[in-house]
DNA sequence: GGCAATATCCCCCTTTCGGGGGATTGAGGA
DNA sequence: TCCTCAATCCCCCGAAAGGGGGATATTGCC
């Protein structure tokens, strides 16, 4: 995918703990197929220097002095040929996990990961995988399983009201909804008033926000 | 987590290919810590028998005669103490992956997975992980990266416009937005017209739908 | 039979939206 | 320097939305 097959995978470490940094660097350089090309103690100097020190994979800590590893990842993705970023952090809370992935991280490992697995993970990332610590993977998967916001709003509504709400939230005018459902304009208005009553909203937009799960984030 | 630590993990296989089924069963029974308690050739008979043949982990094929493995997983999750489900299939297209995860699958392996890894994966699932084949994991992670609906909508907008859009999508009236931002009503209207232009919408609701990611699902 | 819920339709009215035009200021880039 | 863009404000106007009232038919349940 990148470079020649025989070349070593170039790794950069962004980690503020000098000890950890050194340990990782040592581990990587001691692994066949990997080479640590640079280490940085903060996101700013990493971003500034990255042009000249191109890496294939970046091991990124989240908690850094100044700019966070997540923000750095986001910044990195806006560039021409962004390296693959793997988060390596002590925290595994949902917020940081999902924010990291949204920012563009390809993997997410906890610092408790054994060295051997860490090395495997770097290779996996490079070859198109997305290694995650066990608990992380489960949370990511679980995030798909949350009942969709739709289900909540739908609870109290009658079948017809749900149909109306769906069209309503897609921006259709009353007239258009009436035509689609082949009912009268006044009927649509009645349904909508009932919907508003049940959802405790006063406008189409509030209803839409509830329907689509607007109260998130 | 389940049973005693010394007990073997009870595995059930739902797979219509008798040969594959037998091979998996043999593999599992040959692994210390695992035991194949039952095998089914279709989802219906599995669902019917599952009460009496409780398993810890179910290896579920997707393509089954009749009901699909995904539907069976969905059905399973409605029960009292659903077993952990790991998809084991030849297909790795996004649709099936995400539908499986939404249905409640905890893991997703391709049938090309080497036996040793498969056994590991079963154990991982049992211990709270979510093993996925490399390419699957990357797709799952990538699904977070498709610039979130917000980011997309936000892309072209100026700072002020984003603020206005946020309030707009939460159902605030122009007057309320103006008061909140301490600007004039006309200014709000101007911003909104710019927002509509950029998002290519003609109403608050359409803008909200785009902002909140209404076109999903 | 009566009652509740659903779905349908009609009238009144005011408020809010959205589209069109234009203007000014200040900051920052060509 | 000039020009662009973001942000601010103003006017006119018609269409859409929302709130209030009430009505009818059908269904299913007690």
């Amino acid at each position: 995918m990148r470079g020649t097959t025989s070349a070593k995978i170039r790794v950069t470490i962004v980690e503020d703990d000098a000890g950890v940094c050194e340990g990782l660097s040592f581990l990587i350089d001691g692994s066949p197929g990997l080479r640590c090309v640079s280490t940085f103690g903060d996101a700013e100097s990493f971003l500034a220097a990255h042009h000249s020190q191109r890496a294939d994979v970046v091991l990124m800590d989240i908690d850094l002095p100044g700019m966070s590893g997540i923000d750095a990842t986001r910044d990195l993705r806006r560039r021409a040929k962004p390296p693959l970023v793997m988060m390596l952090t002590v925290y595994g809370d949902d917020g940081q996990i999902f924010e990291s992935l949204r920012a563009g991280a390809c993997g997410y490992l906890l610092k408790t990961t054994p060295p051997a697995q860490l090395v495997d993970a770097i290779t996996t990332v490079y070859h198109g995988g997305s290694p995650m610590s066990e608990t992380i993977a489960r949370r990511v998967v679980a995030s798909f399983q949350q009942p969709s916001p739709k289900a909540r709003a739908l609870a109290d509504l009658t079948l017809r009201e749900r149909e109306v709400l769906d069209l309503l939230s897609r921006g259709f005018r009353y007239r258009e909804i009436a035509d689609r459902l082949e009912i009268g304009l006044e009927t649509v208005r009645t349904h909508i008033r009932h919907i508003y009553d049940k959802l405790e909203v006063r406008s189409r937009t509030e209803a839409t926000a509830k329907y689509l799960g607007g109260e998130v984030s």
Side-chain angles (χ1 to χ4, degrees), chain A:
Chain A
M1 328 197 136
R2 286 157 191 246
T4 59
T5 39
S6 60
K8 289 192 174 188
I9 298 172
R10 298 164 59 84
V11 182
T12 282
I13 302 169
V14 185
E15 159 68 57
D16 63 325
D17 184 313
V20 173
C21 208
E22 203 176 325
L24 287 172
S25 158
F26 185 76
L27 169 69
I28 289 166
D29 280 331
S31 305
L34 302 186
R35 186 177 142 229
C36 180
V37 294
S38 54
T39 64
F40 299 93
D42 63 283
E44 290 83 352
S45 58
F46 160 65
L47 289 175
H50 181 255
H51 298 290
S52 51
Q53 293 284 352
R54 295 202 57 82
D56 299 311
V57 178
V58 177
L59 290 190
M60 181 82 75
D61 189 18
I62 289 182
D63 272 302
L64 296 169
M67 179 186 259
S68 80
I70 294 177
D71 289 333
T73 302
R74 217 185 316 270
D75 188 293
L76 212 52
R77 274 189 73 83
R78 294 205 195 89
R79 310 210 172 166
K81 279 187 61 180
L84 297 160
V85 176
M86 182 156 67
M87 290 306 185
L88 183 62
T89 181
V90 287
Y91 299 104
D93 63 280
D94 282 8
Q96 291 196 328
I97 294 170
F98 298 124
E99 218 190 318
S100 295
L101 296 183
R102 271 194 292 272
C106 291
Y108 197 110
L109 293 188
L110 296 176
K111 282 189 177 171
T112 53
T113 306
Q117 276 182 35
L118 181 57
V119 170
D120 281 349
I122 294 171
T123 310
T124 298
V125 162
Y126 185 73
H127 290 305
S130 279
M132 289 173 273
S133 295
E134 287 194 3
T135 56
I136 305 296
R138 179 60 66 92
R139 296 210 206 162
V140 169
V141 165
S143 77
F144 282 89
Q145 295 172 12
Q146 301 169 356
S148 84
K150 271 187 185 178
R152 261 179 291 147
L154 263 58
D156 284 356
L157 304 182
T158 67
L159 255 175
R160 206 50 159 171
E161 287 164 354
R162 290 176 213 186
E163 293 176 345
V164 172
L165 175 56
D166 186 66
L167 295 171
L168 191 71
S169 71
R170 281 153 62 187
F172 289 100
R173 304 184 194 297
Y174 291 5
R175 180 72 263 160
E176 295 170 331
I177 294 173
D179 290 344
R180 285 226 169 193
L181 299 181
E182 296 183 295
I183 56 180
L185 178 63
E186 288 304 323
T187 308
V188 172
R189 278 170 37 71
T190 305
H191 285 315
I192 288 173
R193 270 177 293 162
H194 290 160
I195 292 168
Y196 287 0
D197 280 347
K198 290 180 180 175
L199 298 188
E200 295 181 301
V201 296
R202 268 162 316 292
S203 76
R204 178 201 207 107
T205 311
E206 285 181 273
T208 302
K210 281 215 170 184
Y211 181 60
L212 296 178
E215 63 278 11
V216 296
S217 106

